[in-house]
Amino acid sequence: MKKIRYNAPVVLTFVLISLAVLMLDRATTGWTTRKLFCVYRAPLTDPLSYLRLFGHVLGHAGFEHYIGNMTLILVLGPILEEKYGSSSLLAAILVTALASGVIHCLIAPSTALLGASGIVFMCIMMASLAGMQEGTIPLTMILVAVIYIGGEVLAGLTQHDGISHLTHIIGGLCGTGIGWMLPKGGRTSH
């Protein structure tokens, strides 16, 4: 008999914590998300500001938002966790969350940001680099960058749809940089 295995601990924990945050949002009529799981410019003397710089990737505006992000994370994340290891993937998530949180506060101080779409774009770009060999640039990475990041630049310039295209771009850039720096030979330690 086959057993169910918690095969990608960082990815699965991220997905489950995000679901718990969404349920908590519903139970508190949005209070917990506003106070803890979305990022916006606040005084640096507010200790929650630092938590929000990372925690905003766990908050979502609703189930549709959550499902859209988590579906892609569940598809790409386990592959990345297997290739690079849990600790490297967790570090990539934290770096991307911090970068997108800080840049959002600097560029869009009057709005709040929440959701894992920056993490999704990080995963997309890291996955496009997963097969990279020394001395080569994968054509798939170039095409993914043109299609996804180029599309986000275009959308950011032409659409006003309430989506943070800048966060997608930041996530993609983080994923490209991190994917480029990680060892290419296979799995690293957890």
Side-chain angles (χ1 to χ4, degrees):
M1 184 165 137
K2 302 255 184 199
K3 293 181 183 180
I4 295 176
R5 184 172 64 97
Y6 203 75
N7 62 309
V10 169
V11 171
L12 291 169
T13 302
F14 184 87
V15 168
L16 292 172
I17 290 172
S18 294
L19 179 60
V21 166
L22 185 58
M23 302 306 271
L24 199 56
D25 175 78
R26 298 298 178 244
T28 64
T29 59
W31 184 89
T32 52
T33 298
R34 283 190 307 276
K35 293 296 182 185
L36 303 172
F37 300 108
C38 65
V39 68
Y40 45 86
R41 188 179 289 181
L44 295 177
T45 55
D46 177 2
L48 294 179
S49 293
Y50 303 99
L51 174 67
R52 288 188 293 263
L53 285 173
F54 295 96
H56 69 96
V57 298
L58 299 170
H60 288 85
F63 283 104
E64 187 176 318
H65 187 209
Y66 170 83
I67 289 167
N69 284 332
M70 294 308 131
T71 300
L72 286 168
I73 288 172
L74 284 167
V75 169
L76 296 171
I79 297 165
L80 297 172
E81 195 164 348
E82 179 64 30
K83 171 130 180 100
Y84 297 115
S86 298
S87 58
S88 293
L89 183 59
L90 178 60
I93 290 169
L94 293 172
V95 165
T96 302
L98 180 63
S100 60
V102 167
I103 292 170
H104 176 80
C105 287
L106 294 173
I107 292 179
S110 61
T111 62
L113 172 70
L114 76 161
S117 58
I119 305 304
V120 168
F121 274 78
M122 175 209 72
C123 289
I124 289 168
M125 292 309 297
M126 282 180 71
S128 74
L129 288 165
M132 186 170 74
Q133 298 171 351
E134 289 298 322
T136 66
I137 299 172
L139 179 57
T140 53
M141 189 275 300
I142 294 169
L143 291 173
V144 168
V146 168
I147 292 167
Y148 276 99
I149 302 210
E152 288 304 310
V153 170
L154 182 62
L157 294 172
T158 61
Q159 298 175 11
H160 302 287
D161 52 10
I163 295 171
S164 178
H165 299 283
L166 178 62
T167 300
H168 299 172
I169 295 165
I170 293 165
L173 293 174
C174 286
T176 302
I178 293 165
W180 205 273
M181 291 185 303
L182 287 173
K184 307 302 175 261
R187 188 177 196 160
T188 58
S189 67
H190 288 272

